Amino acid sequence: MTLSTPSFTAVTDLFHRVSGIRLSDAKRSLVTGRLQKLAAEAGIPDLDRYVEHVVAGRDADETRRVIDRLTTNETYFFREPQHFDLLADLARKPRHGATFRVWSAASSSGEEAFSIAMVLAEHIGPRGWEVVGTDLSTAMVDSARRALFPIDRVRDTPTALVKKYCLRGQGDYQGQVLMAKELRQNMRFDQANLTEALPDIGLFDVIFLRNVLIYFDPPSKAKIVRRVIEKLKPGALLFTGHAESLSGQDVGLRASRPAVYERN
Ligand SMILES: C[S@@+](CC[C@H](N)C(=O)[O-])C[C@H]1O[C@@H](n2cnc3c(N)ncnc32)[C@H](O)[C@@H]1O
C-alpha cells in the first residue's frame, strides 16, 4: 500500500496543526508504515481513502489514534543521568515544609517521571514531593498511568532502586514490573499539548523538558520554552535534552550548566 503525495501532505498538515511538529518528506516511509497498521485496523486498507477519512475530521477517535501513532515516544529510565544526580542534590536541600514539585513535560510512557519519583522518594521520603507527567499522546498518558513496564526496561536502573520500587509481576504479569504505590501516590499523568495554553498545574522546582524540543522549528521551540518557564518557581531549574541547546535563543533563560537553565 502506498501513500500518495497529496495524502502525505494532508496527514502531515493535520499532524502539524495538532502537535506543532512538521514531518518532512524524509519521514514518508515511516509515516506510511505507521498508517498502514491503523488503516488495516480501521477496516480501510487503502491508505489514501483512510487519510481522506481521517482528515475529514468527523471521527475524533481515529484522528487521536493517528496523532498518537505519529509521535515519537522513545524514552528510557534514567536517560541522561547527569540530570538525576543534580535532582538528588536539589532534593536534599532543606525546603522548610514546602512540597518539592517536578514536571515531566513530555513524559511519553512515564519512564522519565518514574525515574524522578525514585530519586525523590530516596532523598525526601514517602511524602513531601510531587511529580506531574504530561504528554500530547493520550495513549502514552494511559500507558504511564498503568505504571507497568517490561522488566528489561529497568535493566540499567540502579539495583537498589529496582528492589525497592519495582514490584515483580506474577501470573499474567510475569516479565513485568509495577511501580510501587509509594511512588504512584505522589504522581499524576495528564494529557497536555505544549503548543497550546497549558493547564493549571501549579509551579515547579524543576521542569524536565527533554527530547521534545528537537522536533520543533526555532520559533515554535522558543514559544514552547516561554510558555513552559512560566511554570517555574523563583530560582527553579529547567532541564532540556543534551542535544537541544537553547543557546542563542532569546527566551529569558541563562545556562547554569549543560542542558540546565535558570530563568533570568
Ligand atoms: C522522545 S519522547 C521524550 C520522552 C522523555 N521526555 C525523554 O526524554 O525520554 C517525546 C515525547 O514528546 C511528546 N510530544 C510531542 N509533541 C508534543 C506536544 N506538542 N505537546 C506535548 N508533548 C508532545 C510525544 O508524544 C513523546 O511522548
Side-chain angles (χ1 to χ4, degrees):
M1 276 181 293
T2 53
L3 185 64
S4 67
T5 299
S7 296
F8 176 75
T9 307
V11 77
T12 52
D13 279 353
L14 169 73
F15 184 63
H16 181 246
R17 271 198 309 281
V18 177
S19 72
I21 297 170
R22 173 61 66 198
L23 296 171
S24 71
D25 204 49
K27 293 274 162 53
R28 191 191 283 230
S29 64
L30 180 130
V31 170
T32 306
R34 290 186 177 179
L35 291 184
Q36 270 166 351
K37 208 164 159 247
L38 289 175
E41 280 165 14
I44 315 178
D46 181 284
L47 273 190
D48 289 336
R49 271 195 51 228
Y50 175 69
V51 168
E52 210 178 290
H53 170 75
V54 170
V55 299
R58 284 186 296 271
D59 186 344
D61 285 346
E62 203 55 43
T63 306
R64 186 182 42 71
R65 273 192 280 276
V66 168
I67 302 301
D68 282 353
R69 247 353 243 125
L70 293 183
T71 52
T72 297
N73 308 115
E74 188 198 344
T75 185
Y76 36 96
F77 284 94
F78 290 95
R79 181 179 199 175
E80 303 183 33
Q82 304 88 320
H83 283 146
F84 295 95
D85 296 339
L86 178 56
L87 182 70
D89 292 344
L90 297 171
R92 278 193 293 263
K93 289 191 178 153
R95 283 177 321 284
H96 312 292
T99 300
F100 190 88
R101 303 188 73 237
V102 182
W103 178 23
S104 168
S107 51
S108 188
S109 37
E111 285 85 337
E112 179 176 87
F114 282 106
S115 306
I116 297 166
M118 285 189 259
V119 170
L120 301 187
E122 277 302 278
H123 295 282
I124 299 178
R127 298 280 179 195
W129 57 271
E130 193 187 347
V131 177
V132 177
T134 60
D135 200 275
L136 173 71
S137 158
T138 47
M140 287 299 112
V141 170
D142 289 345
S143 168
R145 283 181 181 154
R146 279 194 292 277
L148 266 177
F149 298 93
I151 203 157
D152 63 342
R153 301 285 299 169
V154 293
R155 206 181 28 225
D156 297 325
T157 301
T159 316
L161 297 183
V162 174
K163 279 196 177 138
K164 237 166 141 177
Y165 302 113
C166 306
L167 315 172
R168 275 172 179 266
Q170 292 179 345
D172 287 351
Y173 296 98
Q174 191 83 35
Q176 299 188 75
V177 289
L178 174 68
M179 305 312 289
K181 182 147 183 256
E182 183 178 342
L183 305 182
R184 287 182 281 128
Q185 70 189 1
N186 296 308
M187 303 175 73
R188 64 174 225 255
F189 291 97
D190 290 312
Q191 197 266 353
N193 188 342
L194 295 169
T195 66
E196 292 173 356
L198 294 170
D200 193 5
I201 48 176
L203 299 180
F204 296 90
D205 296 275
V206 181
I207 299 176
F208 283 62
L209 180 66
R210 307 192 313 163
N211 304 302
V212 60
L213 293 175
I214 202 163
Y215 301 110
F216 295 89
D217 59 29
S220 315
K221 192 161 127 172
K223 272 194 204 147
I224 290 175
V225 171
R226 284 202 198 95
R227 193 175 292 126
V228 164
I229 63 177
E230 289 296 316
K231 304 285 184 190
L232 287 170
K233 290 181 188 174
L237 298 179
L238 175 77
F239 295 174
T240 64
H242 284 77
E244 299 171 303
S245 169
L246 296 175
S247 66
Q249 297 241 6
D250 180 19
V251 286
L253 290 170
R254 63 175 174 278
S256 75
R257 54 181 90 188
V260 177
Y261 296 88
E262 267 177 80
R263 217 169 151 179
N264 280 331

